[in-house]
PDB file of all heavy atoms in Angstrom:
ATOM      1  N   ARG A   1     -12.321 -12.575   0.510  1.00 97.00           N
ATOM      2  CA  ARG A   1     -12.219 -11.111   0.063  1.00 97.00           C
ATOM      3  C   ARG A   1     -13.106 -10.155   0.933  1.00 97.00           C
ATOM      4  O   ARG A   1     -13.096  -8.993   0.564  1.00 97.00           O
ATOM      5  CB  ARG A   1     -12.455 -11.017  -1.437  1.00 97.00           C
ATOM      6  CG  ARG A   1     -11.374 -11.737  -2.222  1.00 97.00           C
ATOM      7  CD  ARG A   1     -11.783 -11.598  -3.741  1.00 97.00           C
ATOM      8  NE  ARG A   1     -11.959 -10.247  -4.248  1.00 97.00           N
ATOM      9  CZ  ARG A   1     -12.551  -9.877  -5.332  1.00 97.00           C
ATOM     10  NH1 ARG A   1     -12.975 -10.915  -6.030  1.00 97.00           N
ATOM     11  NH2 ARG A   1     -12.657  -8.685  -5.689  1.00 97.00           N
ATOM     12  N   GLY A   2     -13.791 -10.693   1.790  1.00 98.00           N
ATOM     13  CA  GLY A   2     -14.662  -9.829   2.637  1.00 98.00           C
ATOM     14  C   GLY A   2     -15.862  -9.308   1.939  1.00 98.00           C
ATOM     15  O   GLY A   2     -16.350  -8.161   2.256  1.00 98.00           O
ATOM     16  N   LEU A   3     -16.458 -10.001   0.960  1.00 98.00           N
ATOM     17  CA  LEU A   3     -17.573  -9.590   0.172  1.00 98.00           C
ATOM     18  C   LEU A   3     -18.900 -10.168   0.521  1.00 98.00           C
ATOM     19  O   LEU A   3     -19.974  -9.825  -0.189  1.00 98.00           O
ATOM     20  CB  LEU A   3     -17.281  -9.809  -1.355  1.00 98.00           C
ATOM     21  CG  LEU A   3     -16.093  -9.073  -1.839  1.00 98.00           C
ATOM     22  CD1 LEU A   3     -15.792  -9.535  -3.298  1.00 98.00           C
ATOM     23  CD2 LEU A   3     -16.343  -7.537  -1.866  1.00 98.00           C
ATOM     24  N   VAL A   4     -19.014 -10.973   1.566  1.00 98.00           N
ATOM     25  CA  VAL A   4     -20.238 -11.516   1.908  1.00 98.00           C
ATOM     26  C   VAL A   4     -21.306 -10.483   2.283  1.00 98.00           C
ATOM     27  O   VAL A   4     -22.466 -10.566   1.886  1.00 98.00           O
ATOM     28  CB  VAL A   4     -20.031 -12.577   3.068  1.00 98.00           C
ATOM     29  CG1 VAL A   4     -21.406 -12.998   3.549  1.00 98.00           C
ATOM     30  CG2 VAL A   4     -19.145 -13.691   2.594  1.00 98.00           C
ATOM     31  N   GLY A   5     -20.978  -9.530   3.071  1.00 98.00           N
ATOM     32  CA  GLY A   5     -21.891  -8.437   3.424  1.00 98.00           C
ATOM     33  C   GLY A   5     -22.453  -7.753   2.270  1.00 98.00           C
ATOM     34  O   GLY A   5     -23.586  -7.474   2.140  1.00 98.00           O
ATOM     35  N   GLU A   6     -21.654  -7.365   1.260  1.00 98.00           N
ATOM     36  CA  GLU A   6     -21.924  -6.780  -0.042  1.00 98.00           C
ATOM     37  C   GLU A   6     -22.915  -7.650  -0.810  1.00 98.00           C
ATOM     38  O   GLU A   6     -23.999  -7.155  -1.339  1.00 98.00           O
ATOM     39  CB  GLU A   6     -20.723  -6.452  -0.824  1.00 98.00           C
ATOM     40  CG  GLU A   6     -21.096  -5.859  -2.205  1.00 98.00           C
ATOM     41  CD  GLU A   6     -21.747  -4.500  -2.183  1.00 98.00           C
ATOM     42  OE1 GLU A   6     -21.731  -3.787  -1.182  1.00 98.00           O
ATOM     43  OE2 GLU A   6     -22.509  -4.128  -3.165  1.00 98.00           O
ATOM     44  N   ILE A   7     -22.589  -8.998  -0.873  1.00 98.00           N
ATOM     45  CA  ILE A   7     -23.424  -9.850  -1.628  1.00 98.00           C
ATOM     46  C   ILE A   7     -24.827  -9.989  -0.951  1.00 98.00           C
ATOM     47  O   ILE A   7     -25.917  -9.840  -1.636  1.00 98.00           O
ATOM     48  CB  ILE A   7     -22.750 -11.237  -1.744  1.00 98.00           C
ATOM     49  CG1 ILE A   7     -21.527 -11.216  -2.649  1.00 98.00           C
ATOM     50  CG2 ILE A   7     -23.752 -12.344  -2.133  1.00 98.00           C
ATOM     51  CD1 ILE A   7     -20.721 -12.347  -2.550  1.00 98.00           C
ATOM     52  N   ILE A   8     -24.883 -10.100   0.284  1.00 98.00           N
ATOM     53  CA  ILE A   8     -26.210 -10.128   1.061  1.00 98.00           C
ATOM     54  C   ILE A   8     -27.001  -8.838   0.803  1.00 98.00           C
ATOM     55  O   ILE A   8     -28.080  -8.832   0.661  1.00 98.00           O
ATOM     56  CB  ILE A   8     -26.056 -10.358   2.443  1.00 98.00           C
ATOM     57  CG1 ILE A   8     -25.497 -11.880   2.740  1.00 98.00           C
ATOM     58  CG2 ILE A   8     -27.275 -10.263   3.300  1.00 98.00           C
ATOM     59  CD1 ILE A   8     -24.978 -12.163   4.239  1.00 98.00           C
ATOM     60  N   ALA A   9     -26.317  -7.706   1.059  1.00 98.00           N
ATOM     61  CA  ALA A   9     -26.807  -6.407   0.806  1.00 98.00           C
ATOM     62  C   ALA A   9     -27.554  -6.292  -0.525  1.00 98.00           C
ATOM     63  O   ALA A   9     -28.643  -5.713  -0.674  1.00 98.00           O
ATOM     64  CB  ALA A   9     -25.841  -5.306   0.997  1.00 98.00           C
ATOM     65  N   ARG A  10     -26.972  -6.798  -1.633  1.00 98.00           N
ATOM     66  CA  ARG A  10     -27.447  -6.667  -2.992  1.00 98.00           C
ATOM     67  C   ARG A  10     -28.859  -7.458  -3.043  1.00 98.00           C
ATOM     68  O   ARG A  10     -29.804  -6.890  -3.656  1.00 98.00           O
ATOM     69  CB  ARG A  10     -26.503  -7.053  -3.896  1.00 98.00           C
ATOM     70  CG  ARG A  10     -25.381  -6.100  -4.080  1.00 98.00           C
ATOM     71  CD  ARG A  10     -24.531  -6.493  -5.255  1.00 98.00           C
ATOM     72  NE  ARG A  10     -23.439  -5.433  -5.363  1.00 98.00           N
ATOM     73  CZ  ARG A  10     -22.837  -5.069  -6.432  1.00 98.00           C
ATOM     74  NH1 ARG A  10     -23.478  -5.412  -7.620  1.00 98.00           N
ATOM     75  NH2 ARG A  10     -21.866  -4.201  -6.429  1.00 98.00           N
ATOM     76  N   PHE A  11     -28.913  -8.568  -2.543  1.00 98.00           N
ATOM     77  CA  PHE A  11     -30.237  -9.362  -2.430  1.00 98.00           C
ATOM     78  C   PHE A  11     -31.256  -8.621  -1.693  1.00 98.00           C
ATOM     79  O   PHE A  11     -32.428  -8.492  -2.124  1.00 98.00           O
ATOM     80  CB  PHE A  11     -29.998 -10.767  -2.022  1.00 98.00           C
ATOM     81  CG  PHE A  11     -29.036 -11.601  -2.928  1.00 98.00           C
ATOM     82  CD1 PHE A  11     -27.985 -12.126  -2.469  1.00 98.00           C
ATOM     83  CD2 PHE A  11     -29.457 -11.682  -4.304  1.00 98.00           C
ATOM     84  CE1 PHE A  11     -27.165 -12.881  -3.395  1.00 98.00           C
ATOM     85  CE2 PHE A  11     -28.656 -12.481  -5.148  1.00 98.00           C
ATOM     86  CZ  PHE A  11     -27.435 -13.084  -4.723  1.00 98.00           C
ATOM     87  N   GLU A  12     -30.861  -8.039  -0.520  1.00 97.00           N
ATOM     88  CA  GLU A  12     -31.812  -7.391   0.260  1.00 97.00           C
ATOM     89  C   GLU A  12     -32.314  -6.104  -0.358  1.00 97.00           C
ATOM     90  O   GLU A  12     -33.455  -5.717  -0.241  1.00 97.00           O
ATOM     91  CB  GLU A  12     -31.217  -7.091   1.728  1.00 97.00           C
ATOM     92  CG  GLU A  12     -31.048  -8.266   2.526  1.00 97.00           C
ATOM     93  CD  GLU A  12     -30.383  -7.973   3.919  1.00 97.00           C
ATOM     94  OE1 GLU A  12     -29.535  -7.106   4.086  1.00 97.00           O
ATOM     95  OE2 GLU A  12     -30.838  -8.675   4.800  1.00 97.00           O
ATOM     96  N   ARG A  13     -31.360  -5.393  -0.964  1.00 96.00           N
ATOM     97  CA  ARG A  13     -31.834  -4.172  -1.653  1.00 96.00           C
ATOM     98  C   ARG A  13     -32.758  -4.452  -2.860  1.00 96.00           C
ATOM     99  O   ARG A  13     -33.594  -3.534  -3.101  1.00 96.00           O
ATOM    100  CB  ARG A  13     -30.537  -3.398  -2.072  1.00 96.00           C
ATOM    101  CG  ARG A  13     -29.799  -2.667  -1.024  1.00 96.00           C
ATOM    102  CD  ARG A  13     -28.880  -1.674  -1.368  1.00 96.00           C
ATOM    103  NE  ARG A  13     -27.706  -2.208  -2.269  1.00 96.00           N
ATOM    104  CZ  ARG A  13     -26.448  -2.355  -1.810  1.00 96.00           C
ATOM    105  NH1 ARG A  13     -26.254  -2.239  -0.568  1.00 96.00           N
ATOM    106  NH2 ARG A  13     -25.600  -2.940  -2.658  1.00 96.00           N
ATOM    107  N   ARG A  14     -32.718  -5.631  -3.421  1.00 95.00           N
ATOM    108  CA  ARG A  14     -33.607  -5.987  -4.456  1.00 95.00           C
ATOM    109  C   ARG A  14     -34.962  -6.401  -3.981  1.00 95.00           C
ATOM    110  O   ARG A  14     -35.937  -6.577  -4.663  1.00 95.00           O
ATOM    111  CB  ARG A  14     -33.024  -7.133  -5.356  1.00 95.00           C
ATOM    112  CG  ARG A  14     -32.040  -6.619  -6.229  1.00 95.00           C
ATOM    113  CD  ARG A  14     -31.875  -7.495  -7.516  1.00 95.00           C
ATOM    114  NE  ARG A  14     -32.954  -7.338  -8.327  1.00 95.00           N
ATOM    115  CZ  ARG A  14     -32.789  -7.675  -9.704  1.00 95.00           C
ATOM    116  NH1 ARG A  14     -31.589  -8.146 -10.083  1.00 95.00           N
ATOM    117  NH2 ARG A  14     -33.821  -7.574 -10.481  1.00 95.00           N
ATOM    118  N   GLY A  15     -35.059  -6.430  -2.538  1.00 95.00           N
ATOM    119  CA  GLY A  15     -36.392  -6.783  -1.850  1.00 95.00           C
ATOM    120  C   GLY A  15     -36.498  -8.264  -1.531  1.00 95.00           C
ATOM    121  O   GLY A  15     -37.611  -8.726  -1.209  1.00 95.00           O
ATOM    122  N   TYR A  16     -35.404  -9.069  -1.642  1.00 97.00           N
ATOM    123  CA  TYR A  16     -35.589 -10.490  -1.345  1.00 97.00           C
ATOM    124  C   TYR A  16     -35.314 -10.619   0.204  1.00 97.00           C
ATOM    125  O   TYR A  16     -34.686  -9.879   0.864  1.00 97.00           O
ATOM    126  CB  TYR A  16     -34.537 -11.271  -2.072  1.00 97.00           C
ATOM    127  CG  TYR A  16     -34.789 -11.257  -3.611  1.00 97.00           C
ATOM    128  CD1 TYR A  16     -33.955 -10.723  -4.470  1.00 97.00           C
ATOM    129  CD2 TYR A  16     -35.983 -11.791  -4.078  1.00 97.00           C
ATOM    130  CE1 TYR A  16     -34.116 -10.699  -5.817  1.00 97.00           C
ATOM    131  CE2 TYR A  16     -36.322 -11.708  -5.407  1.00 97.00           C
ATOM    132  CZ  TYR A  16     -35.416 -11.240  -6.345  1.00 97.00           C
ATOM    133  OH  TYR A  16     -35.599 -11.231  -7.692  1.00 97.00           O
ATOM    134  N   THR A  17     -35.939 -11.690   0.583  1.00 95.00           N
ATOM    135  CA  THR A  17     -35.848 -12.059   2.199  1.00 95.00           C
ATOM    136  C   THR A  17     -34.800 -13.188   2.242  1.00 95.00           C
ATOM    137  O   THR A  17     -34.647 -14.154   1.416  1.00 95.00           O
ATOM    138  CB  THR A  17     -37.088 -12.616   2.561  1.00 95.00           C
ATOM    139  OG1 THR A  17     -38.104 -11.555   2.442  1.00 95.00           O
ATOM    140  CG2 THR A  17     -37.091 -12.926   4.012  1.00 95.00           C
ATOM    141  N   ILE A  18     -34.045 -13.052   3.261  1.00 97.00           N
ATOM    142  CA  ILE A  18     -33.131 -14.180   3.722  1.00 97.00           C
ATOM    143  C   ILE A  18     -33.859 -15.134   4.629  1.00 97.00           C
ATOM    144  O   ILE A  18     -34.144 -14.730   5.633  1.00 97.00           O
ATOM    145  CB  ILE A  18     -31.854 -13.645   4.382  1.00 97.00           C
ATOM    146  CG1 ILE A  18     -31.058 -12.685   3.465  1.00 97.00           C
ATOM    147  CG2 ILE A  18     -30.929 -14.870   4.784  1.00 97.00           C
ATOM    148  CD1 ILE A  18     -29.950 -11.927   4.100  1.00 97.00           C
ATOM    149  N   ALA A  19     -34.151 -16.295   3.983  1.00 97.00           N
ATOM    150  CA  ALA A  19     -34.872 -17.331   4.799  1.00 97.00           C
ATOM    151  C   ALA A  19     -33.995 -18.248   5.541  1.00 97.00           C
ATOM    152  O   ALA A  19     -34.419 -18.872   6.618  1.00 97.00           O
ATOM    153  CB  ALA A  19     -35.791 -18.069   3.896  1.00 97.00           C
ATOM    154  N   ALA A  20     -32.712 -18.327   5.217  1.00 98.00           N
ATOM    155  CA  ALA A  20     -31.723 -19.191   5.974  1.00 98.00           C
ATOM    156  C   ALA A  20     -30.300 -18.730   5.626  1.00 98.00           C
ATOM    157  O   ALA A  20     -30.088 -18.226   4.559  1.00 98.00           O
ATOM    158  CB  ALA A  20     -31.782 -20.591   5.505  1.00 98.00           C
ATOM    159  N   LEU A  21     -29.357 -18.732   6.557  1.00 98.00           N
ATOM    160  CA  LEU A  21     -28.102 -18.230   6.337  1.00 98.00           C
ATOM    161  C   LEU A  21     -27.120 -18.919   7.327  1.00 98.00           C
ATOM    162  O   LEU A  21     -27.389 -19.016   8.487  1.00 98.00           O
ATOM    163  CB  LEU A  21     -28.039 -16.732   6.677  1.00 98.00           C
ATOM    164  CG  LEU A  21     -26.694 -16.030   6.576  1.00 98.00           C
ATOM    165  CD1 LEU A  21     -26.328 -15.793   5.247  1.00 98.00           C
ATOM    166  CD2 LEU A  21     -26.881 -14.671   7.337  1.00 98.00           C
ATOM    167  N   LYS A  22     -26.006 -19.506   6.781  1.00 98.00           N
ATOM    168  CA  LYS A  22     -24.862 -20.017   7.680  1.00 98.00           C
ATOM    169  C   LYS A  22     -23.629 -20.065   6.926  1.00 98.00           C
ATOM    170  O   LYS A  22     -23.475 -20.250   5.679  1.00 98.00           O
ATOM    171  CB  LYS A  22     -25.207 -21.404   8.095  1.00 98.00           C
ATOM    172  CG  LYS A  22     -25.499 -22.458   7.013  1.00 98.00           C
ATOM    173  CD  LYS A  22     -25.895 -23.880   7.731  1.00 98.00           C
ATOM    174  CE  LYS A  22     -26.391 -24.766   6.783  1.00 98.00           C
ATOM    175  NZ  LYS A  22     -26.983 -25.980   7.418  1.00 98.00           N
ATOM    176  N   LEU A  23     -22.535 -19.839   7.827  1.00 98.00           N
ATOM    177  CA  LEU A  23     -21.121 -19.954   7.386  1.00 98.00           C
ATOM    178  C   LEU A  23     -20.728 -21.322   7.685  1.00 98.00           C
ATOM    179  O   LEU A  23     -21.054 -21.926   8.776  1.00 98.00           O
ATOM    180  CB  LEU A  23     -20.232 -18.888   8.299  1.00 98.00           C
ATOM    181  CG  LEU A  23     -18.794 -19.071   8.173  1.00 98.00           C
ATOM    182  CD1 LEU A  23     -18.389 -18.564   6.690  1.00 98.00           C
ATOM    183  CD2 LEU A  23     -18.092 -18.238   9.163  1.00 98.00           C
ATOM    184  N   MET A  24     -20.174 -21.946   6.775  1.00 98.00           N
ATOM    185  CA  MET A  24     -19.775 -23.414   6.886  1.00 98.00           C
ATOM    186  C   MET A  24     -18.504 -23.781   6.117  1.00 98.00           C
ATOM    187  O   MET A  24     -18.266 -23.281   5.100  1.00 98.00           O
ATOM    188  CB  MET A  24     -20.929 -24.243   6.683  1.00 98.00           C
ATOM    189  CG  MET A  24     -21.440 -24.176   5.137  1.00 98.00           C
ATOM    190  SD  MET A  24     -23.024 -25.035   4.977  1.00 98.00           S
ATOM    191  CE  MET A  24     -22.635 -26.698   5.258  1.00 98.00           C
ATOM    192  N   LYS A  25     -17.824 -24.799   6.589  1.00 98.00           N
ATOM    193  CA  LYS A  25     -16.754 -25.436   5.864  1.00 98.00           C
ATOM    194  C   LYS A  25     -17.466 -26.628   5.218  1.00 98.00           C
ATOM    195  O   LYS A  25     -18.135 -27.452   5.814  1.00 98.00           O
ATOM    196  CB  LYS A  25     -15.736 -25.900   6.860  1.00 98.00           C
ATOM    197  CG  LYS A  25     -14.460 -26.600   6.311  1.00 98.00           C
ATOM    198  CD  LYS A  25     -13.465 -25.565   5.654  1.00 98.00           C
ATOM    199  CE  LYS A  25     -12.210 -26.336   5.301  1.00 98.00           C
ATOM    200  NZ  LYS A  25     -12.079 -26.675   4.052  1.00 98.00           N
ATOM    201  N   VAL A  26     -17.288 -26.835   3.878  1.00 98.00           N
ATOM    202  CA  VAL A  26     -17.887 -27.858   3.104  1.00 98.00           C
ATOM    203  C   VAL A  26     -17.109 -29.062   3.133  1.00 98.00           C
ATOM    204  O   VAL A  26     -15.953 -29.067   2.741  1.00 98.00           O
ATOM    205  CB  VAL A  26     -18.246 -27.280   1.735  1.00 98.00           C
ATOM    206  CG1 VAL A  26     -18.920 -28.350   0.837  1.00 98.00           C
ATOM    207  CG2 VAL A  26     -18.940 -26.061   1.652  1.00 98.00           C
ATOM    208  N   ASP A  27     -17.684 -30.190   3.340  1.00 98.00           N
ATOM    209  CA  ASP A  27     -16.962 -31.474   3.144  1.00 98.00           C
ATOM    210  C   ASP A  27     -17.223 -32.037   1.724  1.00 98.00           C
ATOM    211  O   ASP A  27     -18.056 -31.628   1.018  1.00 98.00           O
ATOM    212  CB  ASP A  27     -17.489 -32.570   4.218  1.00 98.00           C
ATOM    213  CG  ASP A  27     -19.034 -32.881   4.096  1.00 98.00           C
ATOM    214  OD1 ASP A  27     -19.372 -33.433   3.002  1.00 98.00           O
ATOM    215  OD2 ASP A  27     -19.786 -32.560   4.987  1.00 98.00           O
ATOM    216  N   GLY A  28     -16.406 -32.979   1.537  1.00 97.00           N
ATOM    217  CA  GLY A  28     -16.306 -33.590   0.158  1.00 97.00           C
ATOM    218  C   GLY A  28     -17.613 -34.196  -0.218  1.00 97.00           C
ATOM    219  O   GLY A  28     -18.003 -34.195  -1.412  1.00 97.00           O
ATOM    220  N   ASN A  29     -18.287 -34.910   0.634  1.00 98.00           N
ATOM    221  CA  ASN A  29     -19.671 -35.445   0.339  1.00 98.00           C
ATOM    222  C   ASN A  29     -20.652 -34.457  -0.167  1.00 98.00           C
ATOM    223  O   ASN A  29     -21.267 -34.704  -1.170  1.00 98.00           O
ATOM    224  CB  ASN A  29     -20.174 -36.227   1.583  1.00 98.00           C
ATOM    225  CG  ASN A  29     -20.171 -37.805   1.452  1.00 98.00           C
ATOM    226  OD1 ASN A  29     -19.719 -38.194   0.332  1.00 98.00           O
ATOM    227  ND2 ASN A  29     -20.664 -38.399   2.420  1.00 98.00           N
ATOM    228  N   ARG A  30     -20.711 -33.310   0.748  1.00 98.00           N
ATOM    229  CA  ARG A  30     -21.712 -32.336   0.308  1.00 98.00           C
ATOM    230  C   ARG A  30     -21.330 -31.733  -1.036  1.00 98.00           C
ATOM    231  O   ARG A  30     -22.219 -31.458  -1.827  1.00 98.00           O
ATOM    232  CB  ARG A  30     -21.808 -31.266   1.419  1.00 98.00           C
ATOM    233  CG  ARG A  30     -22.875 -30.311   1.180  1.00 98.00           C
ATOM    234  CD  ARG A  30     -22.916 -29.174   2.285  1.00 98.00           C
ATOM    235  NE  ARG A  30     -22.785 -29.664   3.573  1.00 98.00           N
ATOM    236  CZ  ARG A  30     -23.706 -29.841   4.499  1.00 98.00           C
ATOM    237  NH1 ARG A  30     -24.958 -29.497   4.066  1.00 98.00           N
ATOM    238  NH2 ARG A  30     -23.600 -30.154   5.690  1.00 98.00           N
ATOM    239  N   ALA A  31     -20.004 -31.511  -1.264  1.00 98.00           N
ATOM    240  CA  ALA A  31     -19.609 -30.828  -2.493  1.00 98.00           C
ATOM    241  C   ALA A  31     -19.873 -31.746  -3.594  1.00 98.00           C
ATOM    242  O   ALA A  31     -20.487 -31.271  -4.684  1.00 98.00           O
ATOM    243  CB  ALA A  31     -18.075 -30.551  -2.363  1.00 98.00           C
ATOM    244  N   ARG A  32     -19.603 -32.978  -3.576  1.00 97.00           N
ATOM    245  CA  ARG A  32     -19.924 -33.986  -4.629  1.00 97.00           C
ATOM    246  C   ARG A  32     -21.448 -34.058  -4.889  1.00 97.00           C
ATOM    247  O   ARG A  32     -21.863 -34.134  -6.135  1.00 97.00           O
ATOM    248  CB  ARG A  32     -19.308 -35.328  -4.406  1.00 97.00           C
ATOM    249  CG  ARG A  32     -17.757 -35.318  -4.536  1.00 97.00           C
ATOM    250  CD  ARG A  32     -17.114 -36.731  -4.409  1.00 97.00           C
ATOM    251  NE  ARG A  32     -17.266 -37.237  -3.030  1.00 97.00           N
ATOM    252  CZ  ARG A  32     -16.354 -36.812  -2.142  1.00 97.00           C
ATOM    253  NH1 ARG A  32     -15.282 -35.952  -2.417  1.00 97.00           N
ATOM    254  NH2 ARG A  32     -16.485 -37.336  -0.966  1.00 97.00           N
ATOM    255  N   THR A  33     -22.186 -34.041  -3.852  1.00 98.00           N
ATOM    256  CA  THR A  33     -23.581 -34.087  -4.057  1.00 98.00           C
ATOM    257  C   THR A  33     -24.185 -32.827  -4.739  1.00 98.00           C
ATOM    258  O   THR A  33     -24.966 -32.937  -5.678  1.00 98.00           O
ATOM    259  CB  THR A  33     -24.315 -34.194  -2.735  1.00 98.00           C
ATOM    260  OG1 THR A  33     -23.870 -35.481  -2.052  1.00 98.00           O
ATOM    261  CG2 THR A  33     -25.943 -34.333  -2.776  1.00 98.00           C
ATOM    262  N   HIS A  34     -23.627 -31.735  -4.260  1.00 97.00           N
ATOM    263  CA  HIS A  34     -23.995 -30.481  -4.913  1.00 97.00           C
ATOM    264  C   HIS A  34     -23.637 -30.354  -6.456  1.00 97.00           C
ATOM    265  O   HIS A  34     -24.516 -29.946  -7.192  1.00 97.00           O
ATOM    266  CB  HIS A  34     -23.378 -29.253  -4.117  1.00 97.00           C
ATOM    267  CG  HIS A  34     -23.725 -27.900  -4.705  1.00 97.00           C
ATOM    268  ND1 HIS A  34     -24.929 -27.278  -4.550  1.00 97.00           N
ATOM    269  CD2 HIS A  34     -22.938 -27.091  -5.545  1.00 97.00           C
ATOM    270  CE1 HIS A  34     -24.937 -26.161  -5.244  1.00 97.00           C
ATOM    271  NE2 HIS A  34     -23.793 -26.034  -5.744  1.00 97.00           N
ATOM    272  N   TYR A  35     -22.467 -30.792  -6.695  1.00 96.00           N
ATOM    273  CA  TYR A  35     -21.987 -30.692  -8.101  1.00 96.00           C
ATOM    274  C   TYR A  35     -22.268 -32.001  -8.898  1.00 96.00           C
ATOM    275  O   TYR A  35     -21.671 -32.197 -10.031  1.00 96.00           O
ATOM    276  CB  TYR A  35     -20.649 -30.319  -8.150  1.00 96.00           C
ATOM    277  CG  TYR A  35     -20.312 -28.974  -7.780  1.00 96.00           C
ATOM    278  CD1 TYR A  35     -19.439 -28.568  -6.651  1.00 96.00           C
ATOM    279  CD2 TYR A  35     -20.879 -27.879  -8.473  1.00 96.00           C
ATOM    280  CE1 TYR A  35     -19.132 -27.264  -6.408  1.00 96.00           C
ATOM    281  CE2 TYR A  35     -20.585 -26.480  -8.135  1.00 96.00           C
ATOM    282  CZ  TYR A  35     -19.719 -26.222  -7.091  1.00 96.00           C
ATOM    283  OH  TYR A  35     -19.488 -24.888  -6.750  1.00 96.00           O
ATOM    284  N   ALA A  36     -23.163 -32.889  -8.413  1.00 95.00           N
ATOM    285  CA  ALA A  36     -23.330 -34.221  -9.062  1.00 95.00           C
ATOM    286  C   ALA A  36     -23.639 -34.174 -10.566  1.00 95.00           C
ATOM    287  O   ALA A  36     -23.148 -35.034 -11.313  1.00 95.00           O
ATOM    288  CB  ALA A  36     -24.425 -34.860  -8.332  1.00 95.00           C
ATOM    289  N   GLU A  37     -24.329 -33.163 -10.895  1.00 93.00           N
ATOM    290  CA  GLU A  37     -24.688 -33.099 -12.430  1.00 93.00           C
ATOM    291  C   GLU A  37     -23.406 -32.907 -13.324  1.00 93.00           C
ATOM    292  O   GLU A  37     -23.507 -33.054 -14.457  1.00 93.00           O
ATOM    293  CB  GLU A  37     -25.668 -31.815 -12.769  1.00 93.00           C
ATOM    294  CG  GLU A  37     -24.973 -30.554 -12.394  1.00 93.00           C
ATOM    295  CD  GLU A  37     -25.947 -29.293 -12.350  1.00 93.00           C
ATOM    296  OE1 GLU A  37     -26.798 -29.329 -11.501  1.00 93.00           O
ATOM    297  OE2 GLU A  37     -25.977 -28.602 -13.362  1.00 93.00           O
ATOM    298  N   HIS A  38     -22.248 -32.445 -12.536  1.00 94.00           N
ATOM    299  CA  HIS A  38     -21.044 -32.310 -13.436  1.00 94.00           C
ATOM    300  C   HIS A  38     -20.045 -33.489 -13.203  1.00 94.00           C
ATOM    301  O   HIS A  38     -18.885 -33.482 -13.721  1.00 94.00           O
ATOM    302  CB  HIS A  38     -20.267 -31.075 -12.998  1.00 94.00           C
ATOM    303  CG  HIS A  38     -21.117 -29.830 -13.162  1.00 94.00           C
ATOM    304  ND1 HIS A  38     -21.567 -29.400 -14.396  1.00 94.00           N
ATOM    305  CD2 HIS A  38     -21.597 -28.851 -12.276  1.00 94.00           C
ATOM    306  CE1 HIS A  38     -22.257 -28.234 -14.238  1.00 94.00           C
ATOM    307  NE2 HIS A  38     -22.326 -27.961 -13.014  1.00 94.00           N
ATOM    308  N   ALA A  39     -20.410 -34.452 -12.451  1.00 95.00           N
ATOM    309  CA  ALA A  39     -19.666 -35.667 -12.231  1.00 95.00           C
ATOM    310  C   ALA A  39     -19.228 -36.341 -13.618  1.00 95.00           C
ATOM    311  O   ALA A  39     -19.998 -36.331 -14.545  1.00 95.00           O
ATOM    312  CB  ALA A  39     -20.320 -36.792 -11.476  1.00 95.00           C
ATOM    313  N   GLY A  40     -17.824 -36.572 -13.720  1.00 94.00           N
ATOM    314  CA  GLY A  40     -17.399 -37.238 -14.951  1.00 94.00           C
ATOM    315  C   GLY A  40     -16.865 -36.194 -15.900  1.00 94.00           C
ATOM    316  O   GLY A  40     -16.145 -36.480 -16.753  1.00 94.00           O
ATOM    317  N   LYS A  41     -17.126 -34.804 -15.625  1.00 94.00           N
ATOM    318  CA  LYS A  41     -16.559 -33.860 -16.534  1.00 94.00           C
ATOM    319  C   LYS A  41     -15.165 -33.439 -16.192  1.00 94.00           C
ATOM    320  O   LYS A  41     -14.810 -33.604 -14.942  1.00 94.00           O
ATOM    321  CB  LYS A  41     -17.455 -32.639 -16.501  1.00 94.00           C
ATOM    322  CG  LYS A  41     -18.923 -32.880 -17.038  1.00 94.00           C
ATOM    323  CD  LYS A  41     -19.783 -31.703 -17.082  1.00 94.00           C
ATOM    324  CE  LYS A  41     -21.171 -32.111 -17.504  1.00 94.00           C
ATOM    325  NZ  LYS A  41     -22.208 -31.008 -17.332  1.00 94.00           N
ATOM    326  N   PRO A  42     -14.418 -33.020 -16.936  1.00 95.00           N
ATOM    327  CA  PRO A  42     -12.963 -32.628 -16.659  1.00 95.00           C
ATOM    328  C   PRO A  42     -12.897 -31.676 -15.510  1.00 95.00           C
ATOM    329  O   PRO A  42     -11.892 -31.711 -14.774  1.00 95.00           O
ATOM    330  CB  PRO A  42     -12.408 -32.065 -17.867  1.00 95.00           C
ATOM    331  CG  PRO A  42     -13.419 -32.399 -18.988  1.00 95.00           C
ATOM    332  CD  PRO A  42     -14.759 -32.736 -18.324  1.00 95.00           C
TER     333      PRO A  42
END
């Protein structure tokens, strides 16, 4: 939806620092690791 700039701007306007940033396609392994706490849920 082209909202990444707006999202970043909101954090910057609150005074936060961007310490790392990247655009990426997420593979299944990374996704399952990220959401591991929800494994087994519907």
Side-chain angles (χ1 to χ4, degrees):
R1 292 176 57 199
L3 294 171
V4 173
E6 176 63 24
I7 290 169
I8 292 169
R10 289 190 182 214
F11 295 120
E12 289 182 322
R13 285 194 298 261
R14 282 203 75 159
Y16 295 117
T17 299
I18 298 170
L21 175 77
K22 61 183 166 183
L23 173 71
M24 60 191 299
K25 183 82 166 100
V26 182
D27 63 64
N29 247 3
R30 187 183 313 260
R32 283 186 290 281
T33 302
H34 178 77
Y35 287 123
E37 67 193 71
H38 300 299
K41 295 178 183 172

